[in-house]
Amino acid sequence: MALALTAGALALTLAVRPIVDRNMIGLLLGAITLSAWYGGLRAGLSAVSFSVVGGFVLFLLPRGPQAEEYAADAIGLGVVSVVGVFVAWLVHRVEVHRAELGHRELHFREMIEAVTDYAIYGLDVGGRIVTWNLGAQRLSGYSEAEAVGEHVSLLHTTEERERGHPDEVLREATLNGRFTEEGWRVRKDGTRFWASVLISAIRAPDGSLSGFTKVTRDLTERRRAEEELRDREARLASIVGSAMDAIITTDDDHRIVLFNRAAEQMFGVAAEEALGTPVDRFVPAGQMAEFAESGGTARTVPGSRGAFPALRADGTQFPAEATISTSAVGEQRLITLVLRDVTERMLADTERERLLTEMEASSRAKSEFLATMSHELRTPINAIVGYAELMELGIGGDLSSTHTDYLRRVRTSSQHLRGLIDDVLDMARVEAGRLEVRAGEEPLIPAVRQAAELVAPQSAMRNVTLSEADVHPVRYRGDPDRVRQVLVNLLGNAVKFTPAGGSISVRSRVCARKPPGTGLGEGPWVGVEVRDTGIGIPADEIERIFEPFTQVDQAYTREQGGTGLGLAISRRLARRMGGDLTARSEPGEGSCFTLWLPAIPAPELVIPPEEPVRWPMRPGEVAGLSELGRMLSERVDEVVRRWADRLARDPVIPDAAGLDRAQLEDHVATTLVELGKELMTLDEGGGEPALLRDGTDIQHLIATRHGEQRARLGWTPAQLRREYDLLRDEVEALLATVPASADADRSTAHAILQRLLYRAEELSTLELSRTT
């Protein structure tokens, strides 16, 4: 293109010059300009080169005699060279600038189109939409085709359109150059959103209005969050304002920024006066600074008896307790004090301490008086009992049958009175702290049997069955005399409140964890249960019966006698020995009292599972118990054979493999047969009558003999426990293969059988430990 334009300009110069006789330098400059304009800088420079070369050729052509023409041509070539280069560069810069402007405009439009968080669109001077970006589509739901050409009121609510608000907004933007507002807008689907709107007027270079740009952002979530924040702040302000405690908040400089109504009333100063002042005018100096330096988040302000001296505006001091905490609001740390005036509480505490001291002194005086009077009363009563016995023996001469009967009544009444005095004396000693309680390691079974023997005459007289068939051979830590005293009291109460024909049973259980219904810690513990089928106790009276001089059924108790001190003394004795005394009962069903004592950890101490066992108290109470006993007795050979095979291969007892069958099985078959019989006896007799006690004695004998035999073989308690674990596994495996009858309570029956097996294990392990 540059060559063609230059050649055309030279040709025209050659053609015209002879006619007009003038230098046509302007034609060459025009060719250079056109080349640069349409072809760019390179084409313009090429046109300059071609013009110079062509002009030089023309310069060499034959000319007239006028020398000035040659000079003009030379000057023209120079002008063409310089001016042509400048024109080409100038035209190129103009084109580059135009291209850059076009590129920037395209980039800006693409950027606007790509924005999705903001609706950005253009309006003409009449307020009709001319551009519509992706953000506008997403926010409003209208596509570009649907929106372009529509009036901007498309997104306004009906109310705003009716009052002309869209046009008013455009007029405001035209007048001031821009307009901002927040308000409701409407989407295509009719839903509303809270929008932030910015409208800017666009003007032409001459200052005339050419349109508007509008930027809209959805602030619905922010508005909702702000409303929730305002609601929370309002609720918090209401809570703080209505709080009964004084609340003071300070900044890092310990100047008050919040002072609620309770603080105004407590310190006698208005919030307006307190705000901005140092908090040290109300609380001890240095408390806030010390807490701030500690870097803590919350604590109680220390002071005497939990309180510190606070200061009212009038200078008077009062005791207060407070908690102090910190919180952060942005980069600012706030310290909050919550204070309470404890003047009345301190006065009440002082008065209570005074009364408590007086009551303790009075109680000690009462206890000392009772102890003295009880001791003094015992002396003449002992004399009455002694002389009555001497007269019954005939020391003073022969007595008639009437006199003998009178003396028997005197002696019985005197013994009863002495028992009541002993209760009062024991209670007085307990309260005075003068009751001696030893803490030795003692066997449990002797204490239980001695207590049962002491109460046996009373139970026989009232036709009440008494048995202690399931007592663990464990050792406890305590005073055997006091344990026997507690058990005698429990058994005596059971006899007293159980109708004729009823039953009383004594059993024990060992647990490794905290006993239920007590404040005791982790075990092991042994609990001695005294269970009866008596009148029972209402649930709301259970704890009250352990209070001194308290009896539940006054009419029934008056008939039976008693002071209401026995259970109170028994619980205190149990707790003095490190244990406790608990009770559970159902009216009309009977009661169960449990004496908890610390069990002595030992190799022979076997702790059964924690699952409670519902021991049958009446015939047929546990369905399927006899069925289980018969099946165990009939298939005992199968169980023993499988158990012995496992025992001979067990790595825990390596010596078992070298024993013959008789040594290995020993008394196990007999033990299982007797257990089966005991299950049938429990089901048929219920309540553990004398027949069950006979079976228990047999079990005791067999289990102890088995322990002796294992001791002779050199077994350890751990190996003996492993033997019983295998035996329980085989028994359970057998029972799992036999379907139970439809009405059988197999889970309870299994639990009873496992409890009996654990009792046999305890007896065998105890005997093994004694023998070795």
Side-chain angles (χ1 to χ4, degrees):
M1 181 179 67
L3 179 61
L5 289 173
T6 305
L10 291 172
L12 187 60
T13 300
L14 290 174
V16 176
R17 185 176 180 182
I19 300 173
V20 299
D21 193 24
R22 294 187 60 184
N23 195 332
M24 302 301 291
I25 297 301
L27 293 174
L28 295 177
L29 292 177
I32 292 171
T33 302
L34 290 174
S35 298
W37 185 267
Y38 291 105
L41 179 61
R42 182 175 298 178
L45 294 176
S46 297
V48 171
S49 301
F50 296 149
S51 298
V52 173
V53 173
F56 184 74
V57 172
L58 291 177
F59 179 74
L60 296 178
L61 291 176
R63 300 176 179 273
Q66 293 86 357
E68 61 272 11
E69 291 183 3
Y70 292 96
D73 290 337
I75 293 171
L77 286 175
V79 172
V80 168
S81 300
V82 174
V83 175
V85 170
F86 176 75
V87 169
W89 175 83
L90 183 61
V91 170
H92 170 71
R93 292 307 305 165
V94 171
E95 285 299 310
V96 169
H97 182 64
R98 288 178 60 192
E100 287 180 352
L101 288 177
H103 177 70
R104 290 177 183 174
E105 182 179 357
L106 178 62
H107 178 70
F108 180 73
R109 289 184 61 84
E110 290 176 349
M111 182 179 66
I112 294 298
E113 291 294 329
V115 173
T116 59
D117 292 336
Y118 291 82
I120 304 175
Y121 46 99
L123 308 175
D124 61 16
V125 293
R128 297 194 174 276
I129 300 170
V130 295
T131 62
W132 191 255
N133 76 332
L134 293 176
Q137 296 182 39
R138 184 190 64 82
L139 184 62
S140 67
Y142 291 102
S143 66
E144 184 177 9
E146 293 172 320
V148 172
E150 296 292 335
H151 194 267
V152 70
S153 60
L154 176 72
L155 301 180
H156 284 256
T157 63
T158 303
E159 297 83 358
E160 290 182 341
R161 288 198 298 267
E162 290 176 352
R163 61 186 176 89
H165 182 66
D167 293 329
E168 181 182 348
V169 167
L170 295 179
R171 285 194 298 272
E172 187 73 20
T174 302
L175 181 63
N176 299 319
R178 60 184 294 165
F179 176 81
T180 60
E181 72 168 351
E182 290 186 5
W184 291 109
R185 294 294 183 268
V186 183
R187 295 186 178 92
K188 179 181 178 180
D189 60 5
T191 59
R192 293 189 174 197
F193 63 97
W194 186 259
S196 169
V197 177
L198 168 64
I199 301 177
S200 300
I202 302 175
R203 295 190 177 275
D206 61 358
S208 62
L209 181 68
S210 61
F212 303 91
T213 59
K214 187 170 184 179
V215 180
T216 304
R217 185 184 181 187
D218 185 357
L219 299 181
T220 306
E221 291 301 322
R222 192 194 74 178
R223 176 182 170 86
R224 181 180 297 112
E226 291 175 348
E227 290 178 349
E228 291 177 355
L229 180 60
R230 285 194 295 269
D231 290 343
R232 286 197 298 269
E233 290 177 346
R235 288 195 296 269
L236 179 61
S238 175
I239 293 172
V240 171
S242 61
M244 300 297 292
D245 294 333
I247 301 176
I248 303 175
T249 300
T250 72
D251 56 19
D252 272 336
D253 296 328
H254 307 146
R255 293 190 174 275
I256 299 173
V257 297
L258 185 146
F259 203 78
N260 72 338
R261 286 195 296 271
E264 292 179 333
Q265 297 172 358
M266 180 180 294
F267 293 99
V269 60
E272 293 77 8
E273 182 181 344
L275 292 176
T277 61
V279 73
D280 287 351
R281 63 182 292 196
F282 301 118
V283 300
Q287 284 286 354
M288 304 290 282
E290 178 186 349
F291 176 71
E293 293 172 0
S294 69
T297 57
R299 76 171 190 188
T300 301
V301 178
S304 176
R305 297 171 63 186
F308 64 91
L311 192 66
R312 292 189 175 90
D314 60 5
T316 59
Q317 286 189 350
F318 65 95
E321 63 181 13
T323 57
I324 185 170
S325 61
T326 62
S327 59
V329 179
E331 296 182 356
Q332 183 182 17
R333 187 174 67 155
L334 301 178
I335 304 175
T336 299
L337 270 171
V338 180
L339 303 101
R340 178 173 297 175
D341 186 347
V342 293
T343 303
E344 295 183 0
R345 195 194 71 187
M346 297 286 285
L347 294 175
D349 288 345
T350 302
E351 180 65 15
R352 183 168 56 252
E353 290 176 359
R354 185 187 66 80
L355 294 175
L356 182 60
T357 302
E358 293 180 357
M359 290 173 60
E360 290 175 349
S362 175
S363 178
R364 285 194 299 272
K366 178 205 68 176
S367 299
E368 292 173 0
F369 171 76
L370 288 176
T372 302
M373 290 303 299
S374 298
H375 179 73
E376 294 299 326
L377 288 173
R378 284 171 59 95
T379 301
I381 291 176
N382 287 336
I384 293 172
V385 172
Y387 282 115
E389 290 176 347
L390 290 175
M391 293 179 68
E392 284 184 301
L393 292 174
I395 300 299
D398 295 335
L399 299 173
S400 65
S401 58
T402 302
H403 292 157
T404 303
D405 181 60
Y406 288 164
L407 287 173
R408 181 183 60 78
R409 295 185 181 183
V410 169
R411 181 167 54 83
T412 300
S413 299
S414 299
Q415 290 174 341
H416 177 67
L417 180 58
R418 185 168 59 185
L420 297 179
I421 293 174
D422 286 343
D423 286 344
V424 174
L425 181 59
D426 281 344
M427 191 65 195
R429 288 173 177 170
V430 169
E431 291 187 348
R434 296 191 302 183
L435 186 67
E436 294 183 3
V437 176
R438 293 183 289 113
E441 297 183 2
E442 304 291 338
L444 180 63
I445 291 179
V448 174
R449 288 189 172 172
Q450 290 170 12
E453 290 171 357
L454 290 173
V455 182
Q458 301 175 36
S459 64
M461 185 181 303
R462 292 182 58 85
N463 191 26
V464 175
T465 302
L466 174 62
S467 65
E468 71 280 355
D470 189 24
V471 179
H472 293 68
V474 299
R475 300 177 70 81
Y476 66 91
R477 180 176 288 106
D479 188 332
D481 293 335
R482 299 304 179 185
V483 170
R484 185 170 57 251
Q485 178 181 349
V486 172
L487 292 177
V488 167
N489 180 264
L490 297 178
L491 289 170
N493 286 344
V495 171
K496 188 187 303 182
F497 294 101
T498 300
S503 62
I504 302 170
S505 64
V506 183
R507 60 174 54 90
S508 67
R509 60 188 178 112
V510 178
C511 66
R513 300 178 181 175
K514 175 182 177 180
T518 71
L520 304 176
E522 296 297 316
W525 300 93
V526 57
V528 185
E529 295 182 350
V530 176
R531 187 188 301 266
D532 62 56
T533 58
I535 62 174
I537 305 169
D540 58 348
E541 298 284 348
I542 291 292
E543 284 303 313
R544 201 170 68 86
I545 61 176
F546 291 104
E547 298 174 2
F549 307 104
T550 300
Q551 296 171 330
V552 178
D553 191 334
Q554 296 290 339
Y556 193 86
T557 304
R558 291 278 69 81
E559 181 181 326
Q560 302 299 325
T563 61
L565 288 173
L567 289 176
I569 295 172
S570 296
R571 171 171 276 188
R572 284 165 171 77
L573 289 175
R575 291 178 175 176
R576 286 287 300 274
M577 291 185 286
D580 206 348
L581 180 61
T582 61
R584 61 182 188 275
S585 181
E586 286 290 336
E589 298 292 331
S591 304
C592 178
F593 287 82
T594 304
L595 170 63
W596 293 100
L597 297 168
I600 304 301
E604 65 272 13
L605 180 61
V606 178
I607 301 178
E610 295 293 336
E611 292 82 5
V613 176
R614 181 167 61 87
W615 209 263
M617 299 297 292
R618 291 180 294 274
E621 183 177 346
V622 179
L625 200 58
S626 291
E627 174 188 344
L628 182 63
R630 283 192 296 271
M631 181 175 57
L632 182 62
S633 300
E634 293 169 357
R635 303 183 63 175
V636 67
D637 292 337
E638 177 184 346
V639 175
V640 173
R641 183 179 67 256
R642 296 174 59 179
W643 165 79
D645 290 341
R646 289 185 62 185
L647 192 62
R649 300 190 306 269
D650 195 87
V652 178
I653 315 172
D655 295 338
L659 300 177
D660 58 40
R661 208 69 177 182
Q663 288 178 309
L664 199 61
E665 295 179 1
D666 191 49
H667 300 84
V668 173
T670 307
T671 297
L672 293 179
V673 171
E674 290 300 325
L675 286 178
K677 292 180 179 179
E678 194 162 359
L679 292 176
M680 291 184 282
T681 302
L682 274 171
D683 189 40
E684 295 168 2
E688 296 183 346
L691 182 61
L692 179 59
R693 180 170 182 175
D694 293 340
T696 303
D697 291 339
I698 297 173
Q699 281 288 319
H700 189 282
L701 177 62
I702 296 172
T704 53
R705 292 291 177 85
H706 185 66
E708 290 176 2
Q709 189 260 1
R710 292 312 196 221
R712 290 194 299 271
L713 294 176
W715 289 28
T716 64
Q719 291 174 328
L720 186 56
R721 284 196 289 270
R722 176 60 179 169
E723 171 188 336
Y724 272 96
D725 287 340
L726 296 177
L727 182 60
R728 278 188 290 270
D729 287 346
E730 290 304 322
V731 170
E732 283 297 319
L734 169 67
L735 300 180
T737 62
V738 180
S741 58
D743 61 341
D745 186 357
R746 181 61 67 88
S747 62
T748 303
H750 283 200
I752 293 173
L753 175 58
Q754 290 291 353
R755 174 58 67 88
L756 295 176
L757 278 170
Y758 272 109
R759 184 183 63 185
E761 178 184 352
E762 291 165 350
L763 292 169
S764 298
T765 308
L766 181 62
E767 190 61 30
L768 180 141
S769 299
R770 287 175 178 172
T771 304
T772 56

